[in-house]
Amino acid sequence: MPAPQYSPSPRELDDLELLLSGALAPQTTFDEATGITLTLPPELADAPQVELVDPEGLPLGRWTPTSLTQLATPTYGPFRRLHLNPAQAREQYAGRLVVPVAAPLTDGDFGLVEQRAGERGVVLLALSGTGTPVDVSPVGLVRATLAAAGVLQRNGYRADVVAVPLASHGDPDLDHRLGKQVAANYATDEVLGLTGQGEWPEQIAAIVAQDQPGDNERGVVVFFTGLSGSGKSTLAQALKDRILEEGRRTVTSLDGDVVRRNLSAGLTFSRADRETNIRRIGWVAAEIARHRGIAICSPIAPYDETRQQVRQLVEEAGGEFVLVHVATPLEECERRDRKGLYAKARAGEIPEFTGISSPYEEPADAAVRIDTTDRTIPEALADLLPLLPFPT
């Protein structure tokens, strides 16, 4: 019987690549005791082995509770040509000064590198894993590091870049230890730590500016959540119209009912299918934000766990997530009942109807809470507009 498959999180995929490449040697598999962990879904928790696959389904490794076996080399992601394993880097750049890079180089960093590099040259290790780069995205860090190598080359130094997807694990001590471990595995000579003191040279600053747009350019997801009939779709449409009237940004509406008819046709209203629908909305919204657009979502989204998953998707894509709780009381929503859904739910014709026979978990992390009872659309929208990270 073939092993079940699992596509790990971005952080886990980064760890997987380093484990398989030898960058984390002597560690060769996921291990709770070391902080390099793999969290399998509940249905796979007791599986004797699992195939770990990339986002496109290519099997990369076979995991068991005690071992990790490589099945393929990762091929996804930008700058893949720069992803050398330690053995390849040591052979290709033997004797070079190794410089781990987690942030764009400053003029102070350049001075330090040039002082220590001498004739042996330098390898800049761009630590481009999930959550590690400072002031830039992972791709932005590699671009800025390539530009830094270009500066060093023009100044007469041999300089090359190796991309290493070392992820952050949210523990400064662990991350520092792993960084030292990775650098040591890539080095055949000295490892130089940078201070980050000074200013970015012009060409580096230009890359940072392009990579990190201002609020007027950053992707945003405005996510309305609330009971059926609360006014979510109405407010979402009003906000979309206002943004279009301004004419400064592109905007896409992902209304819950519209998405169900198109992206999620065939799904039921079971909890599992409803959460699948929300995750689909979240994935599309995150991709819109990744490309610096505005997505306005207005599903019921009754469960906190799924809303948190959508927030994570958006933030990992570099977008800003604005959660809006349309907190119109159940009594008012049921009084409106424009589609007759509450009446059907009360009659038992619609099972698992949010607010009647299925729970709604009120968000504790909403940017704003709006009750539309006895309020006009402009009045209710005015509660939200000052909190948006773009002009309206």
Side-chain angles (χ1 to χ4, degrees):
M1 182 176 179
Q5 293 187 331
Y6 170 65
S7 182
S9 70
R11 192 269 301 164
E12 291 169 338
L13 281 171
D14 289 339
D15 289 344
L16 176 63
E17 181 171 344
L18 297 193
L19 288 167
L20 294 176
S21 73
L24 289 173
Q27 185 171 347
T28 58
T29 189
F30 294 97
D31 185 348
E32 190 81 30
T34 66
I36 306 297
T37 59
L38 176 68
T39 303
L40 295 172
E43 62 270 21
L44 298 181
D46 297 324
Q49 60 178 350
V50 176
E51 277 192 358
L52 304 178
V53 302
D54 72 7
E56 295 182 353
L58 174 68
L60 298 176
R62 179 177 292 108
W63 172 91
T64 75
T66 58
S67 66
L68 183 65
T69 304
Q70 185 162 7
L71 299 177
T73 300
T75 59
Y76 59 89
F79 297 114
R80 177 51 56 180
R81 65 189 181 279
L82 300 178
H83 285 237
L84 305 184
N85 64 40
Q88 292 168 328
R90 289 196 302 267
E91 179 181 2
Q92 191 167 335
Y93 303 121
R96 297 275 192 101
L97 174 69
V98 169
V99 181
V101 177
L105 268 68
T106 65
D107 48 16
D109 293 331
F110 277 108
L112 187 59
V113 170
E114 292 178 356
Q115 179 184 354
R116 301 286 284 275
E119 296 183 358
R120 56 183 166 169
V122 60
V123 174
L124 302 176
L125 286 186
L127 305 180
S128 57
T130 304
T132 293
V134 178
D135 296 323
V136 285
S137 68
V139 172
L141 178 69
V142 179
R143 293 182 61 238
T145 308
L146 285 168
V151 171
L152 292 168
Q153 291 164 0
R154 288 190 292 274
N155 290 345
Y157 297 89
R158 291 185 299 159
D160 291 277
V161 176
V162 173
V164 182
L166 176 65
S168 170
H169 297 78
D171 180 335
D173 291 336
L174 173 61
D175 290 338
H176 179 69
R177 177 178 64 78
L178 293 176
K180 291 179 63 177
Q181 189 173 337
V182 167
N185 283 325
Y186 274 88
T188 59
D189 201 330
E190 180 186 5
V191 175
L192 174 66
L194 300 178
T195 66
Q197 295 179 352
E199 302 295 328
W200 292 319
E202 183 177 349
Q203 57 269 58
I204 304 294
I207 291 173
V208 175
Q210 183 184 39
D211 183 72
Q212 298 293 307
D215 287 346
N216 291 349
E217 299 178 351
R218 188 181 181 194
V220 180
V221 173
V222 184
F223 195 95
F224 292 88
T225 174
L227 297 173
S228 177
S230 61
K232 302 181 306 299
S233 296
T234 303
L235 288 175
Q237 184 62 52
L239 177 60
K240 177 185 175 183
D241 292 344
R242 181 153 182 154
I243 295 170
L244 290 175
E245 289 170 6
E246 287 285 337
R248 303 181 190 181
R249 300 290 300 268
T250 60
V251 59
T252 302
S253 175
L254 297 171
D255 178 78
D257 292 334
V258 174
V259 169
R260 271 197 170 271
R261 287 195 299 271
N262 295 279
L263 185 63
S264 296
L267 292 183
T268 70
F269 285 88
S270 68
R271 172 164 182 165
D273 279 2
R274 290 160 81 186
E275 292 188 82
T276 296
N277 183 52
I278 302 305
R279 282 192 292 268
R280 289 179 182 178
I281 291 173
W283 186 86
V284 173
E287 289 303 301
I288 292 169
R290 187 188 306 278
H291 297 285
R292 302 183 183 179
I294 297 173
I296 300 175
C297 311
S298 50
I300 293 174
Y303 302 113
D304 180 69
E305 180 181 4
T306 318
R307 295 192 299 260
Q308 295 300 330
Q309 291 171 353
V310 173
R311 180 188 290 275
Q312 182 177 353
L313 284 171
V314 172
E315 293 177 349
E316 287 178 350
E320 182 159 349
F321 184 79
V322 181
L323 182 62
V324 182
H325 179 200
V326 185
T328 308
L330 173 63
E331 295 76 14
E332 175 63 17
C333 296
E334 191 167 1
R335 185 192 66 77
R336 296 172 180 176
D337 202 15
R338 292 189 307 155
K339 302 176 184 178
L341 299 177
Y342 283 98
K344 292 181 180 179
R346 292 291 186 188
E349 297 176 23
I350 303 178
E352 297 189 76
F353 189 83
T354 302
I356 303 299
S357 52
S358 184
Y360 177 81
E361 299 173 359
E362 294 197 1
D365 58 341
V368 63
R369 184 177 184 274
I370 301 174
D371 182 349
T372 63
T373 305
D374 296 329
R375 302 182 74 190
T376 66
I377 295 172
E379 288 173 346
L381 196 61
D383 292 349
L384 170 62
L385 297 180
L387 302 176
L388 297 176
F390 51 83
T392 54

